[in-house]
């Protein structure tokens, strides 16, 4: 089971964090800070896996963003790497050649995509198509929600 | 109302949305904290409004701020409000915020139960989905209990989208509320054959995770998974299934055999997917027990190697190899070169993994080669931590299992000496202890070791260049000791002696200086012997003495007490010797006698093996304290105690030594003590030999004095090169091989401790050690007890006390035990129990259960001792045996505030045999706050464990001699 996923920039700014086990705020902060230091200090040619505390860390860098997952001892590292890659592909499809700014400004969307892809630290659906379909439909629902509101707003103004 | 709506809408137009917030933060790089605090104030205002759109916008911004590390727990209730909105847009944001911010101690979670339940049963699948997603992050045991049924129904929802989410959530629910597993499991099993692949893989995921925790319960699913494995084409699912089998095979050996074929097929057909092949491999090697793995071992091993070249999986390849190594060391050993290459890798974690592998790979054949490579890396390595790691690994590799793989100890010594050239290592101590160990235990190597150490001492200035923080000077400790102790092997003891007494030595750490001084004296004795033996000028020996007299005062002034003491002792001795020399007395023999005898290493457990002599009383006064003050003391105690009855008794039992000692007993004790000292190898006796020196030396008249040339410098042959030994060794082995071929025809001799190798051009068997190595095992004291119970913790409260009882009338065993209550609590009663076995059975009163214990009416106030007599009536005795029982003390705890006033604290076993008389019945029980002491009635001795602990010396391997 995946314990948590972090996205952070090369400057050490956290862009996304998802914890699959409820953790106290203080511990979260401490772990994030520690892990960022460890990962950012690594050189590009080094392997993507490292052992940290009782967890295995799998990370990969895409442009200026580090995608970093913590999995349990018995989990498969390569499958985690594949999960990261799949998530990036999903983001890419959704935003259309994704960049860091997309994730910064639409961070809630990024979370929604992640939630459709992983749930409780397990892969929910391995098919990119079905994940994207689910998100599109949910977004559609959201827009439907929003359009009557603007009518209401006009009524209020009137 | 309308006005309010209008007002809200206008406000909204001026509100910042999330994008504005992010932009704002980016524009206020300098005063980010200030900007955010104003933003939080705004958000607080927004949360107060009724408009749900405004609120959800605020919550969305809070979620962002939470990620940046700001505390937003104060808004938990507002988040719940947004979650309960009927509109999907807001609900979505509300659940997102909740999943990010809530944890088990968030109290508003309780309020959400009904809301979540409503959402789960919503007709809109996305409402349900969003609720499930949120729940997966913040599910608590309470939520799990309340919602388990709802989620279970969702598992058979019409939409696969909901089904797969529900299946995965169930795993979280199981974790938080394990009782739900049993009712939910049949449905979970059904989902393994769900038509939708997403749901199917979700179910595989969950069951795989469950099985990892408790594989036994899932064996029945094996056939189903077997079918899935052979039919599924989804790699994700396959990997999970294989992992599951990895957990199952150790429990069901037949499964392993069955799996071999499909698994090998998988490896071969998907070799291009290094992903799955390595994953398969790791699970295989970790899960398969030995017997089925033998075939697999062969077909697996080449795979990780083929992928080793890809840097991304190099680490995994090494990981897999280390797992294979445990079961198939041979197949990994052949890939030594690849692993050695990994040592060049830039990534430290890969290098460390490779090092771990090397440790398991060495054999007699390749040890030298591997260590040579490692030495190259030591030179190249940057960063002290990695270099230190290398150093310890080299030493670990060489010294493992009692130097099993070392065939040439000269080579090993030279490796150690080369290692001393490392700068800034922390492991000087480690190297030093290795040098000592090898020099002491491998007799054949001593001459060589001494020569090397002498060189080291001579070049000490190279090692101590930057002394204080340099751990490497520890090596000099070893060097000095070896040179001193085995000085008979020295070529030029005089030069070494001089090297040891250089003024620069005074800058070394104190404990090293002490060794220097002591061993200078040993060297001195050797030098004297050499000089007196030679029929040369008698002045030389005198000059040697003069050298010591000149140099030692530096040490006498040392701030370190030990250095000071040793130096002044030796200085006086040398002065005395010089006096004798001037009278032409031969002193060499006597001086040598000071250091006679072999020093062997002492086994670490030796101290424990020494039995405590009968009658040893460490609490007895050697000299009686003045009787007046004692009685006064006693009186005061009685007063303060208040309870005169108990106090009186206490004084009688715990402090018998005050009153009951008379002259006769003192004399007896003295005798006992002498006998004990004679038996105790660790008691430092007055050395008879040294006494002899002083007594006899007085009368000695003639000392031949030999002139020596002090200007002759020590031969400095440079530091030894271990490489030359590698070459030598190869030649030697070639020669040996040739020799053996001849010998083989004549006779076939089996060498002990050598295994028969079956592969490679030169098998293990062919390599004989260069020296006839005699590895001295550690010494045990003569009167050590052969018992193996020395690993037991003396403070273990649940320990066995062996008591011998008296046999009366052929059917009764009487055991008397004196209990002394050393704790502050009142012992209310005891319970006695015997675990019924085939051989013994306790007859319990009517109506008692088979495991009930018998209450012993025995009360003991704190500080009191009393005798308890247990009489066991035997109904029948068929064979002699030990009676084993348990005594449970029930102690009244006064400090406890809880209504439960009785606490069972300590148990100890009471054993009794049929034979013999009452012997030992005393022990020291400690368990938290309770301390009970069993004392022996006749002598009232304290158990010796305390004594032992105080005096135990953990590894007194290289004792000083006085």
């Amino acid at each position: 089971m995946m314990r948590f996923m972090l996205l952070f920039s090369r400057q050490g700014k956290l862009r996304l964090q998802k914890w699959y086990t409820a953790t106290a705020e203080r511990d979260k902060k401490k772990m994030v800070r520690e892990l960022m230091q460890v990962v950012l200090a690594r050189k590009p040619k080094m392997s993507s896996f490292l052992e940290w505390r009782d967890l295995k860390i799998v990370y990969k860098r895409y442009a200026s963003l580090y995608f970093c997952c913590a999995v349990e001892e018995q989990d498969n590292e390569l499958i985690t790497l594949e999960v990261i890659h799949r998530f990036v592909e999903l983001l890419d499809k959704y935003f259309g050649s994704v960049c860091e700014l997309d994730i910064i400004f639409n961070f809630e969307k990024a979370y929604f995509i992640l939630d459709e892809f992983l749930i409780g630290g397990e892969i929910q659906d391995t098919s990119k198509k079905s994940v994207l379909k689910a998100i599109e439909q949910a977004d559609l629902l959201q827009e439907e929600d929003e359009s009557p509101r603007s009518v209401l707003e006009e009524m209020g103004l009137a | 109302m309308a006005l309010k709506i209008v007002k809200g809408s206008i406000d909204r137009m001026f509100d910042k949305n999330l994008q504005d917030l992010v932009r704002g933060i980016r524009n206020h790089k300098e005063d980010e904290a200030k900007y955010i605090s104003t933003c939080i104030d705004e958000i607080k205002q927004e949360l107060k409004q009724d408009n749900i759109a405004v609120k959800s916008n605020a919550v969305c911004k809070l979620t962002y701020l939470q990620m940046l590390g700001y505390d937003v727990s104060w808004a938990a209730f507002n988040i719940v409000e947004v979650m309960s909105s009927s509109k999907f847009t807001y609900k979505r944001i509300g659940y997102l915020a909740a999943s990010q911010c809530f944890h088990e101690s968030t109290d508003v979670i309780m309020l959400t139960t009904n809301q979540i339940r409503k959402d789960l049963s919503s007709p809109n699948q996305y409402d349900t989905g969003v609720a499930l997603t949120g729940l997966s992050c913040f599910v608590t045991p309470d939520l799990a209990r309340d919602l388990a049924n709802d989620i279970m129904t969702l598992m058979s929802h019409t939409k696969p989208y909901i089904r797969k989410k529900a299946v995965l959530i169930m795993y979280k629910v199981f974790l938080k509320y394990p009782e739900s597993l049993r009712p939910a499991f049949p449905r979970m099993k059904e989902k393994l054959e769900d038509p939708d692949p997403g749901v199917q893989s979700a179910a595989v995921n969950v069951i795989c995770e469950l099985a990892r925790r408790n594989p036994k319960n899932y064996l029945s699913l094996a056939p189903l998974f077997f079918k899935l494995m052979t039919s599924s084409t989804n790699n994700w699912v396959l990997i999970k299934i294989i992992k599951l089998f990895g957990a199952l095979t150790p429990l069901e050996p037949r499964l392993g055999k069955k799996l071999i074929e499909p698994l090998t097929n998988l490896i071969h057909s998907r070799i291009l997917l290094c992903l799955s092949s390595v994953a398969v491999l790791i699970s295989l090697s970790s899960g398969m027990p030995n017997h089925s793995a033998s075939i697999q071992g062969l077909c697996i091993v080449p795979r990780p190697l083929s992928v080793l070249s890809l840097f991304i999986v190099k680490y995994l390849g090494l990981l897999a190899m280390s797992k294979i190594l445990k079961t198939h060391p041979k197949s990994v050993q052949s890939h030594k070169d690849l692993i050695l290459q990994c040592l060049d890798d830039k990534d430290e974690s890969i290098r460390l993994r490779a090092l771990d592998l090397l440790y398991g790979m060495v054999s007699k054949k390749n040890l030298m080669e591997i260590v040579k490579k490692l030495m190259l890396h030591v030179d190249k390595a940057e960063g002290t931590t990695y270099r230190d790691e290398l150093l310890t690994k080299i030493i670990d590799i060489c010294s493992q299992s009692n130097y099993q793989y070392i065939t040439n100890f000269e080579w090993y010594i030279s490796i150690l000496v080369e290692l001393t050239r490392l700068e800034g290592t922390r492991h000087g101590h480690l190297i030093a202890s290795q040098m000592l160990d090898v020099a002491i235990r491998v007799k054949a190597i001593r001459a060589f070791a001494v020569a090397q150490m002498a060189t080291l001492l001579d070049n000490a200035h190279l090692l101590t260049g930057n002394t204080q923080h340099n751990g490497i000077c520890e090596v000099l400790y070893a060097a000095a000791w070896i040179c001193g102790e085995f000085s008979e092997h020295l070529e030029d003891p005089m030069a070494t002696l001089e090297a040891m007494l250089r003024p620069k030595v005074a800058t070394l750490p104190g404990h090293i200086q002490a060794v220097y001084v002591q061993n200078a004296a040993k060297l001195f004795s050797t030098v004297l012997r050499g000089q007196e033996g030679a029929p040369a000028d008698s002045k030389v020996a005198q000059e040697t003495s003069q050298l010591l007299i000149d140099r030692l005062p530096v040490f006498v002034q040392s701030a370190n007490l030990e250095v000071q003491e040793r130096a002044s002792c030796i200085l006086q001795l040398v002065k005395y010797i010089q006096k004798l020399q001037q009278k032409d007395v031969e002193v060499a023999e006597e001086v040598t006698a000071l250091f006679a005898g072999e020093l062997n290493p002492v086994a670490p457990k030796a101290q424990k093996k020494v039995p405590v002599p009968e009658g040893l009383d460490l609490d007895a006064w050697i000299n009686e304290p003045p009787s007046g003050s004692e009685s006064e003391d006693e009186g005061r105690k009685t007063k303060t105690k208040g309870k005169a009855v108990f106090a009186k008794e206490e004084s009688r039992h715990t402090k018998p030594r005050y009153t009951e000692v008379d002259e006769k007993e003192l004399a007896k004790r003295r005798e006992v003590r002498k006998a004990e000292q004679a038996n105790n190898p660790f008691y430092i006796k007055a050395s008879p030999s040294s006494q002899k020196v002083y007594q006899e030396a007085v009368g000695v008249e003639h000392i031949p004095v030999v002139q020596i040339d002090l200007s002759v410098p020590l031969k400095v042959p440079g530091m030894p090169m271990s490489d030359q030994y590698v070459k030598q060794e190869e030649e030697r082995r070639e020669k040996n091989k040739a020799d053996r071929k001849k010998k083989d025809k004549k006779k076939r001799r089996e060498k002990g401790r050598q295994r028969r190798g079956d592969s490679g051009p030169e098998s293990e068997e062919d390599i004989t050690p260069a020296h006839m190595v005699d590895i001295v095992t550690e010494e045990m004291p003569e009167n050590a007890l052969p018992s193996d119970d020395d690993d037991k913790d003396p403070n273990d409260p649940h320990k066995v006390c062996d008591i011998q009882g008296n046999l009366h009338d052929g059917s009764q065993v009487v055991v008397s035990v004196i209990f002394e209550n050393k704790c502050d609590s009142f012992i209310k009663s005891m319970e006695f129990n015997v675990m019924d076995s085939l051989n013994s059975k306790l007859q319990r009163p009517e109506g008692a259960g088979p495991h009930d214990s018998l209450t012993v009416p025995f009360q003991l106030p704190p500080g009191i001792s009393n005798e308890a007599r247990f009489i066991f009536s035997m109904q029948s005795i068929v064979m002699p045996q030990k009676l084993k029982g348990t005594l449970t003390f029930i102690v009244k705890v006064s400090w406890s505030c809880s209504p439960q006033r009785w606490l069972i604290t300590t148990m100890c076993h009471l054993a009794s045999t049929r034979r013999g008389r009452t012997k030992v019945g005393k022990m020291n029980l400690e368990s938290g706050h309770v301390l009970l002491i069993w004392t022996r009635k006749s002598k009232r001795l304290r158990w010796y464990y305390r004594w032992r602990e105080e005096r135990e010396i953990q590894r007194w391997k290289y004792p000083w001699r006085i």
Side-chain angles (χ1 to χ4, degrees), chain B residues 626-649:
Chain B
S627 58
S629 67
E630 185 256 319
S631 67
E632 216 178 271
D633 211 355
E634 200 77 9
R636 203 184 310 134
K637 229 172 218 156
T638 319
K639 261 182 234 159
T640 49
K641 267 283 172 195
K643 293 177 192 169
V645 188
F646 296 150
K648 211 170 161 191
E649 231 187 0

Side-chain angles (χ1 to χ4, degrees), chain B residues 383-526:
Chain B
T384 43
T385 38
Y386 178 61
R387 203 160 46 183
D388 278 357
E389 182 67 24
L390 268 173
L391 193 153
T392 38
K393 265 277 139 37
I394 291 176
I395 289 179
D396 277 357
I397 286 174
C398 292
S399 63
Q400 64 176 314
S401 40
N402 210 4
Y403 308 105
Q404 189 191 343
Y405 298 118
I406 295 185
T407 49
N408 187 336
F409 276 93
E410 285 184 15
W411 165 81
Y412 186 45
I413 292 273
S414 57
I415 285 284
L416 288 175
V417 173
E418 270 179 51
L419 285 176
T420 61
R421 272 181 290 169
L422 281 185
E423 260 171 53
T425 178
R426 285 178 293 115
H427 294 295
H429 189 74
L430 189 66
I431 302 176
S433 67
Q434 282 290 306
M435 285 173 170
L436 285 172
D437 205 37
V438 171
I440 293 173
R441 295 175 58 191
V442 186
K443 280 185 182 148
I445 200 69
R446 280 180 193 166
F448 179 79
V450 166
Q452 291 296 331
M453 293 306 130
T455 327
L456 259 186
L457 281 181
D458 198 41
N459 299 327
H461 57 280
L462 294 177
L463 298 177
T464 54
N466 36 352
T467 351
Q468 292 319 315
H469 308 289
N470 201 339
I472 206 70
C473 58
E474 288 287 334
V475 170
L476 294 175
Y477 173 99
W481 193 87
I482 292 172
C483 283
E485 186 62 25
F486 308 117
S487 49
E488 68 269 20
H489 297 292
L490 270 179
E491 260 177 44
D492 187 357
M494 191 57 215
T496 311
L497 179 61
E498 212 197 343
M500 267 161 75
L501 291 172
R502 281 182 196 145
K504 192 129 194 276
V505 171
T507 59
L508 289 171
H511 65 285
I512 299 176
Q513 281 186 54
V515 185
Y516 265 71
V517 172
Q518 180 74 7
N519 287 289
K522 291 183 195 167
L523 271 178
F524 175 61
S525 75
T526 319

Side-chain angles (χ1 to χ4, degrees), chain B residues 321 356 730 754:
Chain B
M321 299 257 268
D356 282 346
E730 271 162 19
Q754 285 175 355

